[in-house]
Amino acid sequence: MFAAIARLVSHWPKTVLVVSFATLVAAAAVGGGVFDRLSNGGFEDPDAESTRAVAVLEERFGTGPTNLVVLVTATDGDVDAAAAVEAGAMLTEELAGRDDLADVVGYWSLGGIDALRSDDGSRALIVARALGDDDRRQEVTEVLLEEIPGDRGAIRVELSGEEVAFREVGETIEGDLARAESVAVPITLLLLIAVFGGIVAALLPVAVGVVAVFGALLVLWLVTGFTDVSVFSINLVTAMGLGLAIDYSLFVVSRFREELAAGHQVTAATQRTVMTAGRTVAFSALTVGVSLSALLIFPLYFLKSFAYAGIGVIIIAMVASVVTLPAALQLLGHRVDALTVWKRHPAPVGTGFWHRVATTVMARPVPVAVGVTALLLVLGLPFLRVQFGVPDERVLPEGNEARVTLETVATEFGSDDVNGFPIVVPNVSDPGSIVGYATDVSAVDGVGRVDAATGTYVDGVAVAESDLLSLRFAGEDATWLNVVPEVEPISVEAESMVAEIRSIDPGFDVLVGGRSAGLIDSKEAIFDLVPWAALLIALATFVLLFLAFGSVLVPIKAIFLNLLSLTATFGMMVWVFQDGNGAGLLGFTPTGLTDTTTPILMFCIAFGLSMDYEVFLISRIREEYDRTGDNDAAVAIGLERTGRIVTAAALLLSVTFFAFATSGITFIKLFGLGLAIAVLVDATIVRATLVPALMKLAGRANWWAPPFLAGLYRRAGLSESAAEAAADAVTLADEPVTGDLVPDTAGQHADERVPTTTGGS
């Protein structure tokens, strides 16, 4: 396959570039519209008890959880003043008359109940439910934000609630994306100029990054035609689109320049680049894609969306790097070094910085391995006290109107009615049979009040009989209860409360809904599948690395090192974002909880990226070992040949992730900072110390495989030596006379030929 690609891009480079440019234009035109097709939800398991409770509530009773909160402030400070009462009643009627809202109730429509009035009497609440699916509710919210907030004579109106908060998160992320790109692209370009020493060579990876981003947006646009896709996945498209495309391009351009420096003519250099660096890039992209594909097994479409986005951007970045970029290099030829800013003079083989690092580590492999492993484990210790939660309004920046409104409701209203959650009893013919159950639920720690068709219950005692409002709880052969908690919905106490409620056996089926129950169900849906996702990643990675290197130990070591390199990142996640260390500096509000989905995302993404660098490094080591049979020399030269380029690639990728750390949304900030740290730790500390130490300790066993697997590798393996031989065959067949190659018969010995695995110098 790579031989065919090599001939295609070297013989028809203009055609390849024209097709690529046309595809880019189409992707930008169509894919740019994907933002209007993305959804803000996806955090619930569609088959969970809490989700089914909401579905039954809507189907059987025509109601559901409140998702909009209208905060009304009396201009003269008294919501019971005549003018405020009149204006508040009119606003309530206006909202109740809308077709896109349901369950509109307010302080004035309920006869002035204390639960919907602030402690000082200056504010009151109207609550409502926006109708429709995620997209429709967001449309309703946007209309309401245009029409409802503002001064209305005797009252001032503010709109917030779950739907408004989610909309604000989406709006903030769009702004963050633009800012992140404006920060990351110029810094990346400067770093590329520093790496290559020339402006033309530096611009090529940035161009491929642009292609990857717009191409991935087109992929997401197509996916939205079949399933829901989360708006948050756009962050991965931008970060990995720029980062991976630049990484892959860095290796391809470096290899092309290396081939030219070795004396090959342009066509031969292009073909050899595709056959070697292109092959390794494609293989590395496959390993990253495998890690991200594990997200598809989770039922939350929020997580699935990152798989769609990640796999899409990886495919586009890989194709652009292996096909489009070599075509551009074929046309540029030696002009790839045009507009040189500075020239680098590589140190002789065996004397460079990374060679010294490798030999120093291999001189003391046991102390280095033990010391670095201990350090990473210590840095990961905070993760042992992780407490999981889901995002709420506190992920928004301080001062955001939607957040301020909800914080006002939480602090100035003594009642927790806005946090009430349903318990649905789908099959009960006599509502009176729930009296005992409602009584038991009201006695659970954390429950403030239970409203039911049979009355109101507090602390295990009936405190009020049924009234006209109680009629809403009765349906045909079904009923439901409204539970008002005394604890924060997203908290450890709330989880304990729901767990105790679910442990009660009433003798009939019940479905507990609400945010607290949804948190428990989401955690179960995720963590029950984590072992299977980890097993999928481990098995697929093992198979891929075995096919690449023919070793049993190398894949096992790679998996172990990738897990170890993530410990520091996961420890930071808890120490900073859960515990709040550095919250003022980074600009976020600590909640004492860690978002449930973020560790899963970071694990799959960071594991794949770590394996990416592992492939580049081990490929070079294996090539040297095949050439010399000297394990220590192979490790030292392999690290020397790839150390600078892998470190540069990691730094470039981390720039895009660090840019997202400037986001105003807390979990996007965590996402960016965490992945940046993971990439840098892996590409520097792990690759520079643990890899050479463990390779030294294993010696020749690094490349051992049992006979039956060794035979399989000989038949189906994807060795670097085979790629090199194929590259020689292709270039010799295409240009037998021009002298594109420097043949061994011209006096160059095999051990003097330039190493031919991807990675550059």
Side-chain angles (χ1 to χ4, degrees), residues 141-267:
T141 300
E142 290 179 7
V143 172
L144 291 174
L145 284 170
E146 291 289 330
E147 299 178 357
I148 302 303
D151 291 327
R152 296 189 172 214
I155 60 175
R156 186 177 71 253
V157 183
E158 299 166 75
L159 180 65
S160 190
E162 180 180 316
E163 292 299 328
V164 178
F166 269 121
R167 178 188 178 278
E168 289 295 306
V169 168
E171 291 285 322
T172 304
I173 285 176
E174 284 194 38
D176 291 343
L177 280 173
R179 184 176 65 253
E181 291 170 1
S182 67
V183 171
V185 172
I187 295 176
T188 298
L189 182 57
L190 290 175
L191 289 173
L192 284 168
I193 293 174
V195 171
F196 286 122
I199 295 176
V200 172
L203 286 173
L204 290 173
V206 175
V208 174
V210 172
V211 172
V213 170
F214 282 110
L217 291 179
L218 176 60
V219 171
L220 276 188
W221 186 89
L222 295 172
V223 173
T224 57
F226 302 94
T227 186
D228 292 320
V229 177
S230 171
V231 66
F232 304 113
S233 63
I234 290 294
N235 294 277
L236 188 63
V237 168
T238 302
M240 290 190 69
L242 286 173
L244 279 182
I246 289 171
D247 271 10
Y248 294 158
S249 302
L250 185 63
F251 285 97
V252 171
V253 174
S254 295
R255 183 51 185 262
F256 180 74
R257 298 172 80 201
E258 179 183 320
E259 296 293 345
L260 291 178
H264 301 303
Q265 291 189 0
V266 172
T267 297

Side-chain angles (χ1 to χ4, degrees), residues 414-417 419-421 423 438-451 457-460 482-501 504 512 516-517:
S415 171
D416 291 304
D417 279 62
N419 294 325
F421 62 88
I423 299 178
T439 302
D440 291 341
V441 171
S442 70
V444 171
D445 288 341
V447 173
R449 188 181 81 244
V450 175
D451 299 320
Y457 304 83
V458 176
D459 293 331
N482 180 56
V483 181
V484 179
E486 294 180 326
V487 295
E488 280 289 327
I490 305 302
S491 64
V492 176
E493 294 79 11
E495 290 186 62
S496 298
M497 174 191 66
V498 171
E500 187 173 348
I501 290 174
I504 299 173
V512 181
S516 306

Side-chain angles (χ1 to χ4, degrees), residues 528-545:
D528 285 353
L529 291 172
V530 162
W532 294 104
L535 180 62
L536 171 63
I537 293 174
L539 288 177
T541 299
F542 182 91
V543 171
L544 288 173
L545 293 185

Side-chain angles (χ1 to χ4, degrees), residues 20-102:
S20 297
F21 181 75
T23 304
L24 173 62
V25 172
V30 178
V34 72
F35 290 92
D36 296 331
R37 299 163 65 109
L38 300 175
S39 303
N40 285 322
F43 297 98
E44 305 87 15
D45 176 4
D47 297 322
E49 177 182 334
S50 56
T51 309
R52 288 184 286 123
V54 173
V56 173
L57 202 60
E58 293 180 349
E59 178 183 346
R60 304 283 290 274
F61 298 93
T63 187
T66 295
N67 51 34
L68 292 172
V69 176
V70 181
L71 178 63
V72 180
T73 302
T75 308
D76 64 359
D78 183 7
V79 294
D80 292 316
V85 170
E86 180 181 359
M90 289 179 60
L91 175 60
T92 307
E93 290 178 8
E94 176 187 340
L95 294 172
R98 298 183 65 101
D99 294 335
D100 49 18
L101 296 180

Side-chain angles (χ1 to χ4, degrees), residues 73 125 141 147 211 236-237 304-305 390 400 419 488 611 637 662 713 726 730:
T73 302
L125 295 178
T141 300
E147 299 178 357
V211 172
L236 188 63
V237 168
K304 290 178 184 288
S305 298
V390 293
N400 178 274
N419 294 325
E488 280 289 327
M611 199 60 67
I637 293 178
T662 66
Y713 175 69
V730 169

Side-chain angles (χ1 to χ4, degrees), residues 292-580:
L292 286 173
S293 67
L295 293 171
L296 294 173
I297 74 172
F298 295 101
L300 287 67
Y301 80 73
F302 172 80
L303 289 177
K304 290 178 184 288
S305 298
F306 281 84
Y308 305 143
I311 294 172
V313 79
I314 289 166
I315 292 173
I316 301 299
M318 182 268 290
V319 171
S321 300
V322 176
V323 179
T324 305
L325 178 58
L329 293 172
Q330 173 70 24
L331 290 179
L332 284 171
H334 290 277
R335 288 172 295 178
V336 72
D337 291 322
L339 302 179
T340 299
V341 177
W342 68 283
K343 290 186 177 181
R344 176 178 176 269
H345 301 286
V349 176
T351 63
F353 169 78
W354 291 105
H355 190 280
R356 293 194 299 273
V357 169
T359 54
T360 300
V361 168
M362 288 190 291
R364 302 169 185 84
V366 174
V368 170
V370 172
V372 174
T373 299
L375 173 63
L376 293 176
L377 291 176
V378 168
L379 293 175
L381 286 177
F383 192 72
L384 296 177
R385 61 174 184 272
V386 65
Q387 295 288 341
F388 291 106
V390 293
D392 60 18
E393 70 276 2
R394 290 173 292 181
V395 304
L396 290 165
E398 291 186 9
N400 178 274
E401 292 184 8
R403 173 177 172 174
V404 170
T405 299
L406 289 176
E407 289 176 336
T408 300
V409 173
T411 56
E412 296 188 14
F413 288 76
S415 171
D416 291 304
D417 279 62
V418 292
N419 294 325
F421 62 88
I423 299 178
V424 182
V425 186
N427 299 298
V428 59
S429 57
D430 178 18
S433 63
I434 67 163
V435 171
Y437 178 62
T439 302
D440 291 341
V441 171
S442 70
V444 171
D445 288 341
V447 173
R449 188 181 81 244
V450 175
D451 299 320
T454 54
T456 300
Y457 304 83
V458 176
D459 293 331
V461 177
V463 297
E465 296 181 355
S466 59
D467 54 23
L468 290 177
L469 284 176
S470 303
L471 295 176
R472 62 192 175 116
F473 298 112
E476 184 177 351
D477 295 332
T479 188
W480 67 283
L481 297 75
N482 180 56
V483 181
V484 179
E486 294 180 326
V487 295
E488 280 289 327
I490 305 302
S491 64
V492 176
E493 294 79 11
E495 290 186 62
S496 298
M497 174 191 66
V498 171
E500 187 173 348
I501 290 174
R502 285 178 167 176
S503 69
I504 299 173
D505 183 10
F508 43 78
D509 294 334
V510 297
L511 299 171
V512 181
R515 294 171 64 196
S516 306
L519 170 59
I520 293 174
D521 293 340
S522 293
K523 287 167 66 173
E524 289 182 356
I526 291 173
F527 297 128
D528 285 353
L529 291 172
V530 162
W532 294 104
L535 180 62
L536 171 63
I537 293 174
L539 288 177
T541 299
F542 182 91
V543 171
L544 288 173
L545 293 185
F546 172 77
L547 291 176
F549 306 119
S551 165
V552 171
L553 186 60
V554 165
I556 294 174
K557 175 185 62 65
I559 293 170
F560 166 74
L561 291 181
N562 284 4
L563 294 174
L564 187 61
S565 69
L566 286 173
T567 56
T569 302
F570 277 37
M572 176 281 301
M573 182 191 310
V574 172
W575 191 76
V576 175
F577 288 90
Q578 180 175 301
D579 298 346

